Amino acid sequence: MALKKKQEGAEAETDALEAKVTSSALVIVESPAKAKTIEKILGKGFSVKASIGHILDLPKKDLGVDTNNGYMPTYITIPGKEKVINDLRVAAKKASTIYLAPDPDREGEAIAWHIAQTIATDAASSNIYRVTFNEITERAVKEAMKSPSRIDTNKVDAQQARRVLDRLVGYTLSPLLWKKITYGLSAGRVQSVAVRLVVEREREIEAFNQEEYWSITARYAGSVEPEFSARLFKYKGDVVIERALKSSDDPARKENKFLITSEKDAELIRETLSKKSYSLDNVDRKEKKRNPSPPFITSTLQQEASRKLRFPVKKTMSTAQRLYEGVAIGKKGSVGLITYMRTDSTRLAPEAVQWSREYIEKTFGKEFLPPKPHQYKVKAAAQEAHEAIRPTYMEYPPEAVEQYLVRDQYLLYELIWKRFIASQMSAAALELTTFDIFDDTKEAQFRATGTVVKFKGFLALYSETPDVEETEGATLLPDLKEGDMLKLLDLKPQQHFTQPPPRFTEATLVKTLEDKGIGRPSTYAATLSTIEDRKYVVKEEGKFKPSDLGTMVNDFLVKRFHDLIDITFTAKMEDDLDKIEAGEIPWNSVIGDFYLPFTKDIETASKGDDKVSIPTDELCDKCSKPMIMKAGRFGMFLACSGYPECKNTRPIESKSGQAQQDATVEQTDIVCDKCSSPMVIKMGRFGKFLGCSNYPACKNMKPIPTGMKCPLDGGDIIERKAMKGRFKGKIFYSCGNYPDCKYISSYKPVEMVCPDCKASLLYEKTDKSGSKIIFCQNNECKYTGTQT
């Protein structure tokens, strides 16, 4: 009876909604794909239009902000949006009720507000409503339509404050950079701090003093298999390797301490210990539970997609946007497969938790289902109305929709699906075992650690990319007892070097920006794209390195505008934007507090016509004065510090004393196979290459050989760069006799013979800590070692 009344109540609500929404009801969203999905859900009686993003913005050729009148912005129609606006106004005139349904964030609220302002003369404001939903499903959309609200002006103010702030910074500071450095540069609150982080990390790396240290690893056999390895932990009471605390921000952090610092010392200890007998003195077994990670928020999705899928942040966000707005799934039409992807909340809707638990029990069994659903801590500043990023339908597991998705969409959807389902699965049960082994004189203590998974729990479906600490020492240990005697099979010293802090990847830079409260995850894709497009940073092996231009711009800003790119200041500004959204402070007072001191800094920095430059050790070949590095229209170059008396300039690649016309080439002993002229190394758009010195009469050019020979046919191994496709820009190595020889490697070859299988080449890769590892690519050989 109660169920029947509930059904009747739901039917009455639907009837009321249908009565309220006549055939003239208009829904406006910002995306055509989203419009298509929502139109399918709402059906007849609704007209769904798309604004195709923002329709109004600040003018490009003017400041567009009245700094004498409360910083009020002047918005204009974005060029090219005239037809879109006209279509919306025509549709609004015919509609009795208008629902504005852009995305549920500040940017979406601003789009809705601009649309409302634009159609205000064509529709009564009392008939304009705001609807929001975190997923484009039939349930969520219809629920939102039943309870429409009005535009959140506080949220609009927060977006407007950010836009005005960025305009004041960019429009005022960019011309100064053009004057002091070179034309076409830009600066911004978040992008300049991101560049600063990259520059400062590079300086840490350059200042790093490498230390040599040695470890000694023993190989033992007990009364039962398997054999196992243990590392020398203490010798004569001293810890062999005592690592520093990881945080470089801690002024009281310890220094690394190493007992064995030379091959001579290592060999002496090895010789002494090889004569000893050993026993297992202590066995420590501990049970440990490992809980699943929470479902994705924007920043963690960006980081994990970067680590696991090698997706740039920009690709992750654009692919997630498409999955959210809707993908054609056979006869079902357009289906929104995930919830809104710009979120900082780990909250999950109760119905989503319920269907995930049903799926887990059905797919994995009851033992993989915790007694109560997992609940995850939500950040204090997170918007509780938002959900975590999760799949929207239980009936669409990745394998069911793979045929309808392009590869990138499938990979990201599978990642989101697995993370969400795993977040509601049982914890994994691990057994951590530690063996402490002593010699007969108790001078040496070796230690072996191993982890055994007793119950997989969520690991049966998903595991985050492991950190180095989680993979080190994960050895399978035999079932031995305390007091058992052990046979020493081998004792091997190994050389190591301390490593500098690694350069930032996209994933680690996003994490650092988020941890320090700089910007918002929804803007990180644009930020990382901007600093690359502006040539402030370059990527080497997937890691950010500052360019000379980026270093020059950063140093100028740090010196002249310290507050602007101060990490604490930038984080406080983000907090102020949150307070504006909460209605706690007026938006224009935040702008005023920033702008007045900023204009004074601009005025001070603008004095004088001196150009920013970087000193070098080079001397001018014409007047012997020091050369300085400057930025120009075509990149960085060397110029004489005696300008204007001496106007000598040279490209960066040139060497002191060379003639200027030879500055961009390097001589080689290679002969052109077409005209027999010498080949020279030149710099092109995509890096260095071999070109004929007889150019333009002979236009022969080739990649530069690495000096190593192909293991298949003896041809030259050359370094290449992928020009298109998913791996565009990635370095790889191939035989110079391609296509006759198909040799190819994504890892850098090393001219060393494998000590195990005698293969002619080894290969180099970088592990998670930034250490160089060499390994053999022979499938039957498992050799790995460290680069010395």
Side-chain angles (χ1 to χ4, degrees):
M1 191 70 178
L3 179 60
K4 185 177 180 182
K5 284 185 177 181
K6 188 175 181 180
Q7 290 173 338
E8 289 173 351
E11 290 168 1
E13 284 184 5
T14 303
D15 291 342
L17 176 63
E18 291 173 350
K20 182 178 180 181
V21 181
T22 67
S23 59
S24 61
L26 173 65
V27 179
I28 303 176
V29 297
E30 71 276 64
S31 156
K34 186 175 173 181
K36 186 177 180 181
T37 307
I38 292 174
E39 193 165 40
K40 179 180 79 77
I41 290 171
L42 294 177
K44 293 180 180 180
F46 289 89
S47 173
V48 185
K49 299 285 185 181
S51 67
I52 314 178
H54 283 275
I55 58 173
L56 304 180
D57 199 5
L58 299 174
K60 282 192 173 181
K61 296 185 178 179
D62 298 304
L63 179 61
V65 178
D66 189 347
T67 57
N68 297 316
N69 185 28
Y71 305 98
M72 293 304 296
T74 299
Y75 294 107
I76 63 168
T77 299
I78 296 173
K81 287 296 182 76
E82 293 83 1
K83 185 179 184 305
V84 172
I85 289 176
N86 185 61
D87 290 346
L88 293 178
R89 294 186 68 175
V90 169
K93 285 181 180 179
K94 297 177 182 177
S96 60
T97 310
I98 299 169
Y99 298 91
L100 305 178
D103 289 342
D105 56 14
R106 292 175 190 167
E107 215 66 30
E109 208 71 22
I111 292 173
W113 182 61
H114 288 155
I115 293 172
Q117 298 295 308
T118 302
I119 65 175
T121 58
D122 306 293
S125 59
S126 60
N127 293 331
I128 300 177
Y129 295 94
R130 176 77 166 112
V131 291
T132 60
F133 29 79
N134 294 312
E135 58 183 85
I136 307 177
T137 61
E138 183 172 354
R139 180 197 61 80
V141 171
K142 288 188 174 179
E143 282 293 325
M145 297 297 289
K146 290 176 187 177
S147 54
S149 59
R150 300 296 180 181
I151 291 173
D152 185 342
T153 54
N154 288 334
K155 194 175 281 188
V156 173
D157 284 347
Q159 189 278 342
Q160 184 164 267
R162 184 200 62 77
R163 186 72 185 94
V164 169
L165 192 62
D166 289 346
R167 170 52 64 97
L168 291 174
V169 171
Y171 208 85
T172 310
L173 196 51
S174 293
L176 180 62
L177 293 177
W178 303 346
K179 175 184 176 182
K180 294 291 184 178
I181 301 178
T182 190
Y183 181 78
L185 302 180
S186 71
R189 292 182 307 111
V190 179
Q191 75 171 58
S192 297
V193 177
V195 173
R196 181 178 185 176
L197 289 171
V198 175
V199 170
E200 290 181 349
R201 175 58 59 86
E202 192 67 20
R203 284 177 173 154
E204 280 187 69
I205 294 170
E206 290 169 355
F208 184 80
N209 292 318
Q210 195 175 65
E211 294 180 72
E212 178 185 6
Y213 68 99
W214 289 71
S215 64
I216 297 179
T217 302
R219 188 77 179 162
Y220 292 108
S223 56
V224 295
E225 293 185 338
E227 298 172 0
F228 65 97
S229 297
R231 183 173 284 191
L232 182 62
F233 177 60
K234 284 185 178 181
Y235 185 65
K236 295 184 177 179
D238 293 322
V239 176
V240 175
I241 299 173
E242 187 174 349
R243 295 204 174 275
L245 297 174
K246 283 197 164 185
S247 173
S248 60
D249 298 330
D250 183 0
R253 67 192 178 103
K254 299 176 183 176
E255 294 295 328
N256 287 318
K257 292 181 181 178
F258 305 113
L259 181 65
I260 311 172
T261 56
S262 69
E263 183 177 11
K264 180 182 176 182
D265 291 344
E267 186 56 36
L268 185 63
I269 294 172
R270 187 203 69 80
E271 187 176 345
T272 300
L273 296 182
S274 63
K275 301 171 184 177
K276 306 278 189 177
S277 57
Y278 295 88
S279 62
L280 179 57
D281 277 31
N282 183 61
V283 178
D284 183 28
R285 290 186 172 89
K286 293 180 180 177
E287 294 288 335
K288 180 181 177 182
K289 281 192 174 183
R290 182 176 169 189
N291 292 313
S293 298
F296 285 127
I297 58 175
T298 304
S299 59
T300 53
L301 176 64
Q302 292 169 349
Q303 293 167 48
E304 194 73 345
S306 175
R307 287 191 293 252
K308 279 196 168 182
L309 306 180
R310 298 291 185 260
F311 278 13
V313 171
K314 187 175 182 180
K315 177 191 277 192
T316 297
M317 295 308 291
S318 61
T319 305
Q321 181 91 33
R322 188 61 193 271
L323 292 172
Y324 164 70
E325 291 179 344
V327 180
I329 306 295
K331 294 181 180 179
K332 294 285 186 180
S334 185
V335 176
L337 290 174
I338 65 170
T339 52
Y340 191 51
M341 64 286 157
R342 294 183 180 91
T343 176
D344 53 4
S345 173
T346 53
R347 188 185 70 84
L348 293 171
E351 57 270 22
V353 173
Q354 182 57 39
W355 73 249
S356 70
R357 288 175 64 83
E358 292 173 4
Y359 177 86
I360 292 165
E361 184 172 357
K362 180 180 177 182
T363 308
F364 297 95
K366 283 187 176 182
E367 65 273 23
F368 288 86
L369 195 64
K372 293 181 179 179
H374 292 302
Q375 292 187 336
Y376 296 96
K377 187 177 180 181
V378 179
K379 293 180 181 178
Q383 296 182 344
E384 273 300 311
H386 287 189
E387 273 195 76
I389 304 169
R390 62 166 177 83
T392 51
Y393 294 101
M394 182 173 69
E395 58 266 37
Y396 292 131
E399 62 274 12
V401 297
E402 183 175 7
Q403 61 180 313
Y404 305 110
L405 305 179
V406 299
R407 177 174 171 77
D408 289 345
Q409 291 173 348
Y410 172 74
L411 291 174
L412 192 64
Y413 181 61
E414 181 185 42
L415 190 69
I416 293 168
W417 175 280
K418 287 185 175 181
R419 174 77 165 232
F420 165 63
I421 296 296
S423 74
Q424 294 303 311
M425 293 176 70
S426 297
L430 310 176
E431 184 181 77
L432 277 63
T433 303
T434 301
F435 282 2
D436 283 320
I437 301 153
F438 286 84
D439 70 308
D440 48 6
T441 62
K442 304 295 183 182
E443 280 190 336
Q445 178 185 354
F446 286 82
R447 177 167 287 180
T449 58
T451 302
V452 176
V453 178
K454 292 291 189 179
F455 173 66
K456 283 190 173 183
F458 74 94
L459 293 176
L461 176 64
Y462 177 86
S463 176
E464 281 188 283
T465 304
D467 296 327
V468 177
E469 294 83 353
E470 293 176 330
T471 57
E472 283 183 351
T475 306
L476 182 62
L477 298 176
D479 187 15
L480 299 175
K481 297 181 179 62
E482 291 182 5
D484 283 359
M485 297 301 296
L486 302 175
K487 181 181 180 181
L488 179 65
L489 303 174
D490 188 27
L491 205 55
K492 184 177 180 182
Q494 189 170 11
Q495 184 185 40
H496 308 273
F497 292 95
T498 55
Q499 297 296 319
R503 287 175 177 154
F504 288 110
T505 63
E506 286 205 3
T508 56
L509 185 54
V510 163
K511 187 176 189 306
T512 302
L513 289 170
E514 185 189 28
D515 289 347
K516 294 182 180 293
I518 301 165
R520 286 293 178 263
S522 58
T523 65
Y524 291 159
T527 298
L528 300 192
S529 294
T530 298
I531 63 176
E532 274 198 272
D533 293 343
R534 295 289 182 185
K535 307 289 191 253
Y536 293 158
V537 300
V538 294
K539 270 186 182 175
E540 290 187 0
E541 297 181 347
K543 297 180 176 67
F544 287 119
K545 178 183 179 181
S547 65
D548 291 329
L549 177 62
T551 302
M552 182 182 287
V553 171
N554 173 75
D555 291 351
F556 174 74
L557 293 176
V558 168
K559 182 179 179 180
R560 297 293 189 177
F561 301 91
H562 183 268
D563 283 349
L564 177 66
I565 59 173
D566 177 71
I567 291 170
T568 304
F569 174 84
T570 307
K572 180 184 178 300
M573 188 62 69
E574 294 297 336
D575 290 339
D576 286 344
L577 293 177
D578 290 340
K579 289 177 181 177
I580 294 170
E581 183 174 342
E584 296 175 10
I585 51 176
W587 72 271
N588 41 14
S589 69
V590 172
I591 303 298
D593 291 343
F594 164 79
Y595 187 64
L596 293 177
F598 176 65
T599 52
K600 292 180 181 179
D601 289 341
I602 288 283
E603 185 179 339
T604 303
S606 298
K607 292 176 181 177
D609 295 324
D610 56 309
K611 285 270 190 178
V612 176
S613 61
I614 300 175
T616 74
D617 295 329
E618 300 265 356
L619 295 178
C620 176
D621 54 314
K622 292 187 177 180
C623 71
S624 299
K625 289 186 177 179
M627 299 291 280
I628 54 177
M629 190 184 299
K630 288 190 169 186
R633 183 179 176 187
F634 300 105
M636 304 297 291
F637 66 97
L638 291 175
C640 181
S641 59
Y643 180 86
E645 287 78 15
C646 179
K647 299 180 179 179
N648 187 24
T649 61
R650 291 203 305 262
I652 295 295
E653 290 81 15
S654 66
K655 297 178 181 179
S656 181
Q658 284 184 314
Q660 190 166 339
Q661 61 266 30
D662 297 329
T664 58
V665 302
E666 297 176 32
Q667 303 299 321
T668 74
D669 296 328
I670 302 172
V671 176
C672 176
D673 55 355
K674 292 188 176 180
C675 73
S676 299
S677 298
M679 298 288 279
V680 293
I681 297 175
K682 294 186 175 183
M683 176 63 74
R685 180 182 174 190
F686 301 104
K688 292 184 178 182
F689 66 96
L690 279 177
C692 183
S693 59
N694 196 25
Y695 179 87
C698 178
K699 298 181 179 179
N700 187 23
M701 56 183 179
K702 293 181 175 181
I704 301 173
T706 61
M708 289 174 279
K709 298 298 181 182
C710 174
L712 300 184
D713 70 352
D716 289 326
I717 294 179
I718 54 178
E719 180 182 295
R720 295 180 183 270
K721 183 181 287 188
M723 306 305 295
K724 59 183 180 179
R726 180 184 172 192
F727 300 103
K728 182 179 179 181
K730 185 176 177 63
I731 298 295
F732 68 96
Y733 301 85
S734 66
C735 181
N737 293 330
Y738 178 85
D740 294 330
C741 178
K742 304 296 185 183
Y743 170 81
I744 188 170
S745 174
S746 59
Y747 295 105
K748 182 179 180 180
V750 179
E751 199 168 12
M752 292 174 62
V753 175
C754 176
D756 290 353
C757 73
K758 308 306 177 187
S760 60
L761 290 175
L762 293 176
Y763 295 84
E764 180 186 282
K765 64 181 178 180
T766 305
D767 67 13
K768 300 293 182 183
S769 68
S771 300
K772 299 291 185 183
I773 302 295
I774 54 172
F775 66 100
C776 184
Q777 279 197 326
N778 184 346
N779 291 334
E780 298 177 358
C781 179
K782 304 296 184 183
Y783 174 78
T784 60
T786 54
Q787 186 79 11
T788 58

